[in-house]
Amino acid sequence: MNIEAIRKDFPILDRKINGNKLVFFDNAATTQKPIQVINAISDYYKYYNSNIHRSVYTLGNESENIYYKSKEVVRKYINARNIEEIIYTSGTTESLNLISRMLENELSTDDEIIISSIEHHANFVPWQQLAKRKNLKLNILEADSDGFISLENLKNIISEKTKIVSLTYASNVLGIINPVKEISNILKDKNIYFIVDAAQAAPHLKIDVQEIKCDFLVFSGHKMCGPTGIGVLYGKKELLEKISPVKYGGGMIGIVEDYNSTWADIPNKFEAGTPLLAQASGLMAAIEYLNSIGIENIEQYTKLLTKYLIVELEKIDGIEIYGSKDINNRVSLVSFNLNGVHPHDIASFLDEKGICIRAGHQCTQPLLSRLNVYSVARISIYFYNTKEEIDLFIKTLREIKEFFANELF
Ligand SMILES: Cc1ncc(COP(=O)(O)O)c(C=O)c1O
């Protein structure tokens, strides 16, 4: 990987923040965009902009071709069987909300839902609210102190009543990677819908939905160099065909009569309204960009940086790192606290040096309450980051520690 050349693709990396070179370490929240993605969106509006479906003119056909080409690129990226299984949404959050609504009609009283204690609110609140609406039991699978769920514990809480298991592929706080294939094996033949939140996995890991054998898998374009406003809801064809739509309007119907309607085939049945056209073009460019670097290369490079980061962080007295430090089982983000310093103070101090990290509850309040903290600082790495940037971060963190030690005593 030629990092120097890669960095040139990202115009924002030339920016100065507070007089310093931008160091972007908030990639788990959203990644920066290469010029290829920016151009794809701009070119879409410059040369192809027109609505699709029933646009019986050349421009409309070109626009439609881009849309379906984009879906094919996504299909290949996650190894889905066909493009009918790819539904575009505004992001992971919308995908999970949609799935919870889609499955609502498939559930009956007494059914149970399983999520885990490390889920992002996006994979927590929709299920909690579904359980409330339908008066169902929500089982929360407790992770151990490293953040891992035990497959034995999972087996123990599954019952004949379990109808949904929705788990994250990789944690946005602990970084740990869940053994989704093993989990799927446990759930197999049990008539349980298995949903995988791949928001933090899709930017880093090779994803194969046929190998995982999940029923649904979701992720966001903006966390993998794509634009905001587009995400993916993958669903198994036979399920999508069976399940009723939950959003109504143009594009998703077959025939509309005064008092009745029929639905379009999948995936259109689940894509009401004007599709995400320019966004689809941007997402395609993003995935093509990642493919051109190679997802395995991205994983390997960011793993090395994360290993270095953890080693350097651990040299600082008073640092607590959350989650397993086993580099082979985590994506490239690290959440930590520095004894006696609020994460917001750490983030503000770093910002003065042009370094962006995230501080707060990271949309995982149930997990943070189990860690007995209200807030953590999180540094998250992507393939355009460098060892020198980590050195600067560590140096600044040491200054922060010094500064606050002098403040306190
Ligand atoms: C694991 C996980 N799930 C879901 C989400 C929600 O993603 P979005 O805000 O793009 O919908 C995030 C965002 O940080 C996440 O990290």
Side-chain angles (χ1 to χ4, degrees), residues 59-72:
L59 198 63
N61 286 338
E62 287 177 2
S63 178
E64 189 156 316
N65 285 344
I66 293 173
Y67 189 68
Y68 287 113
K69 204 172 145 210
S70 157
K71 288 222 170 163
E72 171 57 19

Side-chain angles (χ1 to χ4, degrees), residues 24-292:
F24 193 75
F25 278 144
D26 194 16
N27 296 292
T30 199
T31 57
Q32 296 304 343
K33 319 304 172 200
I35 193 68
Q36 291 83 343
V37 169
I38 297 167
N39 285 344
I41 298 164
S42 157
D43 284 353
Y44 177 80
Y45 285 123
K46 278 191 208 153
Y47 306 117
Y48 304 105
N49 183 47
S50 52
N51 217 323
I52 64 169
H53 305 321
R54 299 170 310 283
S55 301
V56 193
Y57 49 82
T58 306
L59 198 63
N61 286 338
E62 287 177 2
S63 178
E64 189 156 316
N65 285 344
I66 293 173
Y67 189 68
Y68 287 113
K69 204 172 145 210
S70 157
K71 288 222 170 163
E72 171 57 19
V73 169
V74 170
R75 181 203 70 71
K76 233 173 151 181
Y77 190 72
I78 60 171
N79 194 29
R81 267 172 306 167
N82 55 58
I83 67 165
E84 282 96 347
E85 297 180 309
I86 309 297
I87 295 163
Y88 280 155
T89 66
S90 68
T92 306
T93 304
E94 200 206 355
S95 294
L96 289 163
N97 273 279
L98 265 179
I99 297 169
S100 71
R101 289 283 174 182
M102 284 154 72
L103 295 183
E104 183 160 355
N105 298 328
E106 309 293 313
L107 300 177
S108 32
T109 336
D110 283 348
D111 284 347
E112 295 186 5
I113 300 171
I114 296 176
I115 55 173
S116 85
S117 56
I118 66 165
E119 301 305 319
H120 186 283
H121 294 162
N123 195 30
F124 203 109
V125 187
W127 304 116
Q128 176 196 69
Q129 294 302 307
L130 171 61
K132 273 179 185 269
R133 280 198 304 280
K134 297 276 287 188
N135 208 12
L136 311 173
K137 186 167 178 218
L138 179 70
N139 284 308
I140 300 174
L141 183 60
E142 294 294 332
D144 66 19
S145 57
D146 276 342
F148 293 113
I149 55 169
S150 133
L151 297 182
E152 275 316 299
N153 289 351
L154 174 64
K155 283 181 199 159
N156 289 339
I157 62 165
I158 291 172
S159 73
E160 277 168 14
K161 295 176 180 172
T162 308
K163 285 290 158 339
I164 291 174
V165 172
S166 188
L167 298 171
T168 194
Y169 199 146
S171 160
N172 65 306
V173 172
L174 307 170
I176 64 101
I177 298 170
N178 267 328
V180 284
K181 283 172 225 158
E182 283 91 327
I183 292 169
S184 187
N185 268 337
I186 292 170
L187 305 179
K188 165 173 97 192
D189 303 329
K190 290 199 166 64
N191 207 16
I192 296 172
Y193 296 105
F194 181 33
I195 299 120
V196 177
D197 172 358
Q200 295 298 343
H204 295 278
L205 308 175
K206 185 158 172 37
I207 295 204
D208 186 332
V209 289
Q210 293 189 62
E211 207 180 21
I212 300 172
K213 296 193 180 77
C214 50
D215 296 302
F216 297 95
L217 181 136
V218 299
F219 55 97
S220 300
H222 70 97
K223 291 184 194 288
M224 46 197 288
C225 292
T228 52
I230 186 160
V232 172
L233 188 171
Y234 155 83
K236 262 190 196 153
K237 189 170 181 225
E238 50 275 27
L239 286 180
L240 295 180
E241 278 168 345
K242 182 180 90 160
I243 293 169
S244 301
V246 289
K247 281 179 160 186
Y248 307 105
M252 54 72 65
I253 50 83
I255 292 169
V256 179
E257 295 169 336
D258 281 4
Y259 300 105
N260 209 7
S261 298
T262 60
W263 314 131
D265 290 337
I266 62 165
N268 295 6
K269 181 168 87 171
F270 295 104
E271 291 188 348
T274 294
L276 300 157
L277 301 171
Q279 295 91 329
S281 179
L283 179 60
M284 169 163 63
I287 294 180
E288 282 173 340
Y289 186 80
L290 297 184
N291 287 341
S292 75

